[in-house]
Structures are given as C-alpha cells and as structure tokens.
C-alpha cells in the first residue's frame, strides 16, 4: 500500500514515526481539544465513567447501535493503531469519547449556522457545508461504509483484515469510495478529527484513558506552569496531570 500522511498502514510503524505522527496530529487539532474538547453533557455516560475506566469493555454506547459501534471501533483502531509499546485508539477510549460527544449541542449541529444554501464543494474556509449534523453524518456514514465494503469485498468493514481496512480508509480519504448518502471525504475528516480529539482530550471526556495520549508525546497536561521548559531541548521530567488531578 502507498504511504499516506494521515491513513494508517498495515505494517506497524516504528516508535519514532508513530510519535512524530501523533505530535503532528495534536498540532493540527483545535487548541481546546487537549484540555477541554467539546463542552459535553456528562449525563449517563459520566455516571458510567468509573466502570469504563476500570474496564473499557464495560462501556455501553448511548447513541451508536451495536453494528455502528463495532464499525466505529474498527475504524479508529486503524486510524490510531496500538502496538506492543504504545496503546492506540481503543486502549485510549476513543470510541467512548466519540459516543459521549453525540449527546452534545455540537453533535446536533446547534453551535453553528445550519441553514441552506449548502455547497459541499466549497473551500473549508467557508465553514461547514452539509445539511447533516455530525451525529447524522455518523449514522448515515457508518451504514454507507459497511454497505460499500459489502459491495466491494462481500464483508462488513469489521470483517476485513487490517490491510483491506487500510485500503478502504485510503479510498475514503481520497473521496474515491462511493457512498450512498454522505460525501466520503466529509466522513473521513470527521472520523479522523474525532479520533485525534479522543486520543488527546482530557480524560474527563471519555478518551485519553490513563493519559496515554499525553504520555506518548510528552505533553504535561493541565499543570499550572511549565513555561520554564518550553525552550529547553530536553524532555519534560514530570508526568502529565489531568484537569481532575489524575497523574499519568
């Protein structure tokens, strides 16, 4: 498979390459992601936080169906794959982060202008250009993704091997995968952006479990002051700290 700066490869990357990619991911993510993420409603998902932190398998999604949940987990596992040394999206709780965001005003499209005319091919500088709110894009897009995989491979996305999954995601990223209801690039962009957010946001939002994202790239987290170390060409010596005071 050809290399892509965003899409994972079937071959496991070296630790150096992996850390460089994830540092770049944090650099291009919104500044609010690292500490605050979306201003989510904690609700039932928040009350289940202790159980899911102890065992990620105990988390039960509140928005996604069983089929959607399985597909979402498989996708983010390829966008940020884990290896023997470093946890990936699944270990960091990225799917839980995304599910919890589906109950927020952001996911319902209430934080920006959502009336026509819509121009899906307009440049990104003109803002969001779909009539679908993010939660609707997920619902229709994941169904489309599975349908496209079944048409091309005779299997759902979750049933493909890692190399085939990477190939599908590369097609999705390039806009070359025909989806019935949503623009493929829009779906890939949403999946990648939310995977980054879930990997690097504060753990209170469901992702970055055990501060694995921050530890991987040496980010100090919500420490009161680390400016003395910004210009030094050495690793920050203290572990990261979450907003709630959890230490990595």
């Amino acid at each position: 498979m050809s290399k892509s700066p965003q899409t994972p490869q079937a071959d496991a990357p070296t630790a150096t390459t992996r850390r460089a990619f994830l540092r770049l991911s944090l650099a291009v993510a919104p500044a609010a992601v690292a500490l605050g993420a979306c201003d989510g409603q904690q609700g039932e998902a928040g009350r289940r936080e202790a159980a899911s932190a102890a065992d990620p398998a105990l988390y039960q999604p509140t928005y996604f169906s069983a089929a959607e949940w399985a597909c979402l987990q498989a996708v983010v596992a390829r966008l940020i794959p884990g290896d023997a040394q470093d946890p990936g999206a699944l270990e960091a709780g990225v799917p839980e982060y995304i599910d919890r965001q589906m109950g927020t005003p952001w996911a319902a499209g209430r934080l920006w202008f959502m009336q026509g005319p819509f121009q899906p091919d307009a440049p990104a500088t003109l803002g969001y250009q779909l009539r679908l709110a993010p939660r609707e894009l997920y619902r229709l897009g994941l169904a489309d993704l599975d349908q496209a995989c079944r048409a091309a491979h005779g299997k759902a996305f979750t049933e493909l091997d890692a190399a085939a999954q990477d190939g599908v995601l590369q097609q999705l990223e390039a806009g070359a995968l025909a989806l019935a209801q949503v623009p493929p690039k829009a779906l890939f962009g949403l999946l990648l952006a939310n995977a980054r957010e879930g990997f690097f946001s504060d753990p209170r939002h469901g992702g970055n479990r055990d501060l694995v994202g921050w530890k991987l790239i040496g980010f100090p987290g919500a420490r009161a002051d680390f400016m003395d170390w910004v210009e030094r060409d050495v690793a920050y010596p203290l572990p990261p700290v979450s907003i709630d005071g959890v230490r990595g």
Side-chain angles (χ1 to χ4, degrees):
M1 266 171 25
S2 60
K3 297 284 186 180
S4 167
Q6 294 181 320
T7 316
Q9 307 302 315
D11 297 331
T14 64
T16 301
T17 302
R18 177 179 165 80
R19 285 177 171 80
F21 166 74
L22 291 170
R23 286 193 182 96
L24 177 61
S25 293
L26 182 59
V28 299
V33 164
L35 298 179
C38 299
D39 185 14
Q41 301 168 348
Q42 299 302 312
E44 180 63 24
R47 288 191 288 273
R48 292 197 306 275
E49 184 174 351
S52 65
D55 183 356
L58 296 178
Y59 181 81
Q60 296 298 316
T62 59
Y63 177 73
F64 294 105
S65 68
E68 292 165 349
W69 184 243
C71 185
L72 177 65
Q73 289 181 303
V75 169
V76 299
R78 297 311 303 155
L79 292 177
I80 307 180
D83 57 32
Q85 293 181 321
D86 300 312
L90 295 184
E91 295 81 5
V94 168
E96 177 179 341
Y97 165 85
I98 295 175
D99 181 67
R100 290 170 63 172
Q101 292 306 306
M102 293 300 99
T104 67
W106 166 80
R110 296 201 296 268
L111 299 185
W112 60 85
F113 188 77
M114 282 291 292
Q115 298 181 31
F118 300 98
Q119 301 180 34
D121 296 327
T125 53
L126 296 183
Y128 191 73
Q129 291 290 328
L130 296 182
R131 63 179 69 250
L132 301 172
R135 59 187 290 155
E136 297 170 324
L137 181 56
Y138 266 115
R139 176 133 293 158
L140 298 176
L142 292 176
D144 280 358
L145 180 60
D146 259 348
Q147 183 179 5
C149 288
R150 291 185 186 280
H153 303 279
K155 299 178 180 179
F157 184 84
T158 57
E159 299 171 322
L160 301 176
D161 61 30
Q165 287 179 339
D166 287 350
V168 169
L169 291 178
Q170 287 183 330
Q171 286 184 295
L172 193 68
E173 179 183 15
L177 186 68
L179 301 183
Q181 304 171 92
V182 303
K185 286 187 176 182
L187 177 61
F188 181 86
L190 183 65
L191 284 162
L192 183 61
N194 286 169
R196 287 169 170 166
E197 292 169 4
F199 199 75
F200 292 118
S201 67
D202 189 271
R204 65 164 50 191
H205 301 288
N208 194 14
R209 184 177 287 114
D210 297 327
L211 305 177
V212 296
W214 293 354
K215 287 188 284 190
L216 185 64
I217 63 172
F219 182 65
R223 287 189 172 274
D225 184 11
F226 54 88
M227 293 303 295
D228 289 347
W229 291 85
V230 171
E231 300 298 330
R232 303 186 189 185
D233 190 21
V234 295
Y236 188 68
L238 301 177
V241 178
S242 74
I243 290 176
D244 294 330
V246 177
R247 294 175 180 268

